[in-house]
Amino acid sequence: MTLDIPSIYFVSIVTNLSMTLAVMIVALRQSIPGLKLLAWGLVTNSGYYLVLGAKGILPDLLAIGVGNMLGALTLTLVLKAVLSSRRAQMEPALYITPVALMLIVSLILIDDRHSRLIIASFIISYQIALILWALIRPGNTFVGRGRMIMSLACVVGMVTMAYRGFSFLLGWHEVTPFQSRDVLTTLFYMINYLGMFFLAFGFVLTTVEQGAEQNRRMALIDPLTGMFNRRALFESMDKLFTKAEAEGQPLSLMIMDVDLFKQVNDRYGHQAGDFVLKRVANTIKGRLRQEDIVGRIGGEEFLAVLPDTPPEGALRLAEELRQTLASESVVFKEEKIQVTISVGLYSSVSLAPSQTPDSVIASADKALYLAKTNGRNRVEVNKVITAISA
């Protein structure tokens, strides 16, 4: 199967300009990292097809030299867009050098199409490999359909360009004239066109997915402390309670309340109060394990669920938290603020089917009330359940 190369050029230019317009409109309305860079990449890609398509009309030095440079610049802009969207950095030489090298090779080898295509193929393959690395590099925890589409497009493009370079280098295929309709040339232009399309589509889809993920996280995270909010906490608790009951594991829960917090706000101001809450939250998070869950359930109250934690371990942790906070003053704008917490603890060595998150929280809350009544800055235990038979 062969396709008309000038038709591919025309479709590519129209498609790229249409995508550029759509992306630019979104980029001007919303501050999305990397989106403007992607739009400029689509512009240079259109320029690449336009200049190379004018070969025979424009001088070869301009058509080939500038055209190939625009193609390399397109991939550099896509790479920068991906890096920007992930707030990552890369040595500038890694992505600037290929653009300069492409221009130099195109000009020096202007009359040697065979050598020029071999080197250009490997340069492009290298550039696509950089984009793929930026997509899958360590630290990228978010994996969505958009990122998968971009990664797949990179793999196909990288392999195709590497094969093209080796096929010419090793004599598997002959170098055909520009705009030839042989299978390899047709395949190259089609993959080049579709690759850019799917890179752009995948990038936009990734921004949409990341926005949705960010909104989901915002709905589950307390913005002041960075902890779970009440909703997220209860969703996670259901799973932990089910697992503890099924496996017969101990489970502990404690509610922590900052003592006389209203006085802190009244005396030092709400900014100081927020600072105190952040400090308390960080202290709590610093003492918990990865498998524990903790959140702010309202005002100055925090709740922590400790799976597979027996009563003695939970009581020891609660006392450590209380003592740590009581022993260190919180300094806010040169003011020393004494902070203490009261803790209500509920611990069970084996959960009964009738014990729900609500009932256990109610028991811990009674212990917290007892701690407040008995003078604050203390830990109280409501009750400890020993093994319960089914």
Side-chain angles (χ1 to χ4, degrees):
M1 180 191 73
T2 58
L3 296 175
D4 185 55
I5 302 302
S7 297
I8 295 178
Y9 271 63
F10 177 75
V11 171
S12 300
I13 293 170
V14 172
T15 304
N16 275 278
L17 290 177
S18 300
M19 288 193 297
T20 301
L21 180 62
V23 171
M24 274 296 189
I25 291 174
V26 176
L28 291 174
R29 292 183 177 181
Q30 301 182 37
S31 180
I32 300 176
L35 201 58
K36 288 183 180 179
L37 287 168
L38 175 67
W40 283 115
L42 292 170
V43 170
T44 57
N45 199 44
S46 299
Y48 162 74
Y49 284 110
L50 190 62
V51 172
L52 284 185
K55 188 175 184 295
I57 301 175
L58 298 174
D60 282 354
L61 281 175
L62 180 61
I64 296 175
V66 175
N68 286 340
M69 183 194 69
L70 287 174
L73 182 59
T74 295
L75 294 175
T76 292
L77 288 170
V78 173
L79 173 62
K80 286 290 292 178
V82 172
L83 290 172
S84 177
S85 70
R86 282 155 176 75
R87 294 177 173 82
Q89 299 292 329
M90 182 182 289
E91 276 295 326
L94 293 176
Y95 53 81
I96 293 176
T97 302
V99 179
L101 186 60
M102 184 70 83
L103 177 62
I104 293 171
V105 167
S106 298
L107 295 179
I108 292 178
L109 301 177
I110 191 71
D111 296 321
D112 188 353
R113 178 171 166 78
H114 180 268
S115 299
R116 189 176 71 244
L117 288 181
I118 292 173
I119 298 174
S121 296
F122 290 133
I123 291 174
I124 295 173
S125 184
Y126 163 77
Q127 287 186 286
I128 298 174
L130 289 182
I131 298 174
L132 181 62
W133 177 87
L135 288 167
I136 64 175
R137 67 183 178 82
N140 273 346
T141 57
F142 179 78
V143 180
R145 292 172 297 174
R147 181 179 162 193
M148 292 176 64
I149 289 172
M150 294 181 72
S151 299
L152 181 60
C154 284
V155 170
V156 173
M158 183 176 64
V159 171
T160 300
M161 295 309 302
Y163 174 79
R164 182 182 185 232
F166 279 114
S167 68
F168 291 150
L169 178 65
L170 301 177
W172 299 341
H173 295 279
E174 293 184 1
V175 175
T176 55
F178 183 70
Q179 295 189 357
S180 171
R181 298 188 181 186
D182 67 284
V183 175
L184 185 62
T185 302
T186 301
L187 180 65
F188 160 68
Y189 284 118
M190 283 300 299
I191 289 179
N192 190 31
Y193 162 67
L194 292 174
M196 190 61 195
F197 173 82
F198 282 114
L199 280 174
F201 173 75
F203 187 93
V204 173
L205 180 58
T206 297
T207 61
V208 172
E209 291 177 325
Q210 287 179 327
E213 175 66 13
Q214 184 177 8
N215 291 336
R216 187 193 71 83
R217 286 184 56 82
M218 288 176 64
L220 300 176
I221 299 298
D222 173 54
L224 178 65
T225 63
M227 288 180 163
F228 279 154
N229 59 20
R230 191 181 189 91
R231 172 187 168 186
L233 203 55
F234 272 77
E235 288 180 1
S236 300
M237 283 173 63
D238 287 335
K239 298 176 183 176
L240 291 182
F241 271 62
T242 300
K243 180 181 179 182
E245 181 186 340
E247 299 180 6
Q249 293 179 344
L251 185 138
S252 299
L253 182 147
M254 57 185 181
I255 301 178
M256 297 152 282
D257 185 271
V258 180
D259 296 325
L260 303 174
F261 182 70
K262 185 178 184 301
Q263 293 183 13
V264 174
N265 279 333
D266 291 343
R267 181 175 178 180
Y268 301 102
H270 289 281
Q271 285 187 338
D274 288 346
F275 187 81
V276 166
L277 290 177
K278 290 179 183 178
R279 177 67 175 273
V280 172
N282 289 335
T283 301
I284 294 171
K285 288 188 290 187
R287 291 280 179 166
L288 298 185
R289 304 166 301 178
Q290 187 174 2
E291 59 266 32
D292 300 328
I293 61 170
V294 63
R296 182 184 175 204
I297 56 176
E300 64 273 21
E301 280 194 343
F302 302 88
L303 185 150
V305 184
L306 315 172
D308 199 17
T309 302
E312 59 275 12
L315 182 59
R316 183 168 57 251
L317 173 63
E319 279 292 348
E320 288 176 357
L321 283 171
R322 184 195 65 77
Q323 292 175 14
T324 298
L325 288 167
S327 64
E328 299 176 359
S329 297
V330 175
V331 180
F332 179 76
K333 293 184 178 179
E334 300 183 356
E335 292 280 358
K336 289 186 177 181
I337 306 173
Q338 189 63 42
V339 178
T340 62
I341 61 170
S342 297
V343 183
L345 176 63
Y346 182 91
S347 188
S348 173
V349 295
S350 180
L351 283 177
S354 60
Q355 290 177 287
T356 65
D358 287 334
S359 67
V360 172
I361 288 174
S363 296
D365 202 41
K366 290 178 182 178
L368 176 63
Y369 177 78
L370 188 61
K372 293 288 190 181
T373 304
N374 289 339
R376 302 184 179 88
N377 188 25
R378 58 188 296 119
V379 177
E380 292 287 352
V381 182
N382 182 285
K383 60 179 177 178
V384 177
I385 306 283
T386 55
I388 297 177
S389 58

